[in-house]
């Protein structure tokens, strides 16, 4: 019998603290009007002092396990997609493993905002290969610690949060129908945290120059995001062997409403079929698409039998898409 890998449980956790556009007006020279009209973001969540990526991830993981009807000891593997892990090492996945009481292998995956669909592709492949049966994948970010809160071109965009999914064998008629992964390191300089790694270990100078914070060429990233996300959506649909009209809901990476609108226009997916929640959370990088999927399911926007396309784009550059039948 043909097997498919798919998602059998979802979880989500966002920190309690809400930072509104109006509050940002008192931090940097910006306006609620600029942020709303240029990005679509109204507010974002900010982790409490001492609340790390593994804390958010563990909360989301516990809910995903509960919704899958599983315990931590049932897990065969944990993959955490993050670019704001607790430390350079050990991996955030190892910290999550202990926090939730699991004992299985665990590793991190760094694909920035494309982290969740990358992790989904890895997990789906390993389930289909028969190597692991139950895999927990998580997208978790506390980017607020890596933002220059005086740089208005970036600090208004990002937020903290985590989403989790359990991937397992779901039988023949549903699950992951296709995955498409891409990367182009020639554009690595467009979006990065320059210091803190081996290329520029942290120093007094690097901190004084704020090189441990996120730097982005927003307009270049914008153009490449639109082109590559639109292309990736169409590629995943073609690989799934279904027509565009079959897609019931498109879940795009939630970075900028104008990017989402442009991707919808290019792919001819009506906006009524596009899930948007960036107004509440801003860009949560690897947590963005999984939190959106969680909310789409919870709110009833996704029903059994629906076809869902998911697409993400981020630093690397990386981009990725998948089509699932729910
Ligand atoms: N408030 C007020 N004015 C601002 C702000 C702000 N918060 N930020 C920038 N401006 C100003 C700029 O200084 C500029 O002023 P100038 O014309 O006097 O120089 C003007 O607004 C226009 O700036 P642009 O950068 O051209 O604005 P743009 O329309 O491109 O929007 C944005 C900027 C929102 C960053 C957009 O380019 C974008 O969303 N880019 C893509 C981000 C993204 O998708 N990232 C992907 C993944 S993230 C990851 O992987 C971690």
């Amino acid at each position: 019998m043909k097997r498919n890998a798919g998602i059998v449980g979802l979880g989500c956790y966002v920190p309690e603290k809400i930072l509104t556009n109006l509050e940002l007006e008192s931090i940097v020279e910006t306006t609620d009007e600029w942020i709303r009209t240029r990005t679509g973001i109204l507010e974002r969540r900010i982790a409490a002092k001492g609340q790390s990526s593994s804390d958010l991830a563990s909360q989301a993981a516990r809910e995903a396990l509960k919704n899958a009807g599983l315990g931590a000891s049932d897990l065969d593997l944990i993959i955490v997609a993050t670019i704001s892990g607790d430390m350079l090492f050990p991996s955030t996945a190892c910290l999550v493993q202990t926090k939730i009481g699991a004992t299985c292998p665990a590793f991190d995956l760094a694909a920035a905002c494309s982290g969740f669909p990358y992790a989904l592709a890895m997990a789906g492949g390993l389930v289909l290969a028969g190597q692991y049966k139950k895999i927990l994948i998580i997208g978790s970010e506390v980017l607020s610690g890596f933002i220059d809160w005086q740089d208005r071109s970036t600090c208004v965009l990002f937020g903290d949060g985590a989403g989790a999914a359990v991937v397992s064998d779901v039988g023949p008629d549903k699950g992951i129908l296709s995955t498409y992964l891409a990367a182009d390191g020639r554009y690595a300089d467009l979006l990065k945290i320059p210091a803190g790694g081996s290329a520029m270990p942290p120093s007094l100078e690097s901190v004084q120059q704020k090189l441990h914070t996120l730097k982005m060429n927003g307009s270049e990233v914008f153009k490449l995001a639109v082109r590559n996300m639109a292309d990736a959506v169409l590629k995943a649909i073609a690989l799934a062997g279904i027509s565009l009209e079959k897609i019931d809901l498109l879940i795009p990476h939630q970075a900028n409403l104008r990017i989402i609108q442009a991707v919808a226009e290019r792919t001819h997916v009506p906006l009524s079929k596009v899930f948007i929640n960036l107004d509440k959370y801003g860009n949560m990088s690897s947590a963005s698409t999984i939190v959106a999927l969680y909310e789409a399911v919870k709110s009833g926007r996704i029903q059994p039998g629906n076809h869902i396309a998911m697409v993400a784009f981020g630093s690397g550059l990386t981009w990725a898409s998948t089509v699932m039948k729910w």
Side-chain angles (χ1 to χ4, degrees):
M1 188 176 78
K2 187 180 175 320
R3 287 186 310 158
N4 267 348
I7 292 174
V8 295
L10 288 167
C12 163
Y13 177 79
V14 291
E16 274 173 35
K17 183 179 166 36
I18 296 173
L19 179 64
T20 64
N21 291 349
L22 281 174
E23 286 172 277
L24 276 168
E25 286 186 4
S26 63
I27 298 174
V28 277
E29 198 186 330
T30 190
T31 60
D32 170 50
E33 207 258 334
W34 192 95
I35 304 170
R36 247 184 313 112
T37 53
R38 305 307 291 165
T39 73
I41 300 164
L42 305 184
E43 58 188 42
R44 69 287 292 141
R45 300 299 178 107
I46 302 292
K49 203 169 164 31
Q51 205 176 23
S52 67
S53 190
S54 70
D55 292 327
L56 273 56
S58 301
Q59 294 270 31
R62 288 186 193 101
E63 188 184 0
L65 283 171
K66 191 167 162 240
N67 286 335
L70 298 172
S73 58
D74 296 317
L75 291 173
D76 299 310
L77 178 68
I78 299 171
I79 306 174
V80 175
T82 185
I83 50 163
S84 54
D86 290 30
M87 294 172 257
L88 268 184
F89 65 87
S91 72
T92 298
C94 284
L95 304 176
V96 170
Q97 182 229 46
T98 293
K99 283 183 181 176
I100 65 171
T103 52
C104 59
F107 68 92
D108 283 1
L109 182 161
C113 305
S114 311
F116 184 76
Y118 258 70
L120 186 66
M122 297 301 106
L126 287 165
V127 167
L128 280 192
Q131 191 161 0
Y132 296 112
K133 287 191 166 67
K134 309 261 182 286
I135 304 180
L136 174 66
I137 57 173
I138 305 171
S140 182
E141 305 289 2
V142 180
L143 280 169
S144 57
F146 302 91
I147 297 295
D148 175 358
W149 289 98
Q150 284 162 343
D151 175 7
R152 66 177 185 176
S153 69
T154 53
C155 77
V156 303
L157 303 173
F158 296 93
D160 302 334
V166 179
V167 177
S168 175
D169 187 341
V170 289
D173 193 37
K174 58 180 184 175
I176 302 166
L177 303 186
S178 69
T179 55
Y180 169 72
L181 305 181
D184 192 340
R186 289 173 302 168
Y187 298 106
D189 279 339
L190 291 182
L191 180 45
K192 63 181 180 182
I193 294 178
S198 55
M200 196 188 293
S203 65
L204 189 56
E205 285 87 2
S206 74
V207 174
Q208 278 168 345
Q209 292 168 32
K210 296 184 179 172
L211 296 176
H212 59 293
T213 63
L214 186 148
K215 312 289 173 203
M216 176 166 74
N217 179 336
S219 52
E220 280 307 307
V221 172
F222 191 108
K223 281 183 257 173
L224 288 158
V226 171
R227 192 191 314 149
N228 289 310
M229 283 170 77
D231 181 59
V233 171
L234 299 177
K235 282 212 167 81
I237 290 171
L239 286 169
I242 61 171
S243 66
L244 184 66
E245 293 69 38
K246 274 265 186 195
I247 297 297
D248 297 292
L249 193 68
L250 172 64
I251 299 189
H253 174 48
Q254 310 280 319
N256 187 315
L257 184 58
R258 292 184 294 135
I259 293 178
I260 294 175
Q261 287 165 336
V263 170
E265 197 173 311
R266 276 194 181 217
T267 53
H268 304 292
V269 175
L271 269 177
S272 58
K273 285 188 174 184
V274 181
F275 191 80
I276 295 164
N277 66 355
L278 89 171
D279 50 321
K280 294 189 290 178
Y281 303 124
N283 181 349
M284 296 186 290
S285 192
S286 68
S288 149
T289 43
I290 171 64
V291 171
L293 177 66
Y294 173 94
E295 292 200 336
V297 171
K298 198 157 192 194
S299 64
R301 285 285 298 275
I302 295 175
Q303 294 295 327
N306 280 175
H307 287 88
I308 305 139
M310 176 186 277
V311 64
F313 182 88
S315 168
L317 295 174
T318 56
W319 57 104
S321 55
T322 182
V323 170
M324 288 178 274
K325 188 173 178 194
W326 205 250

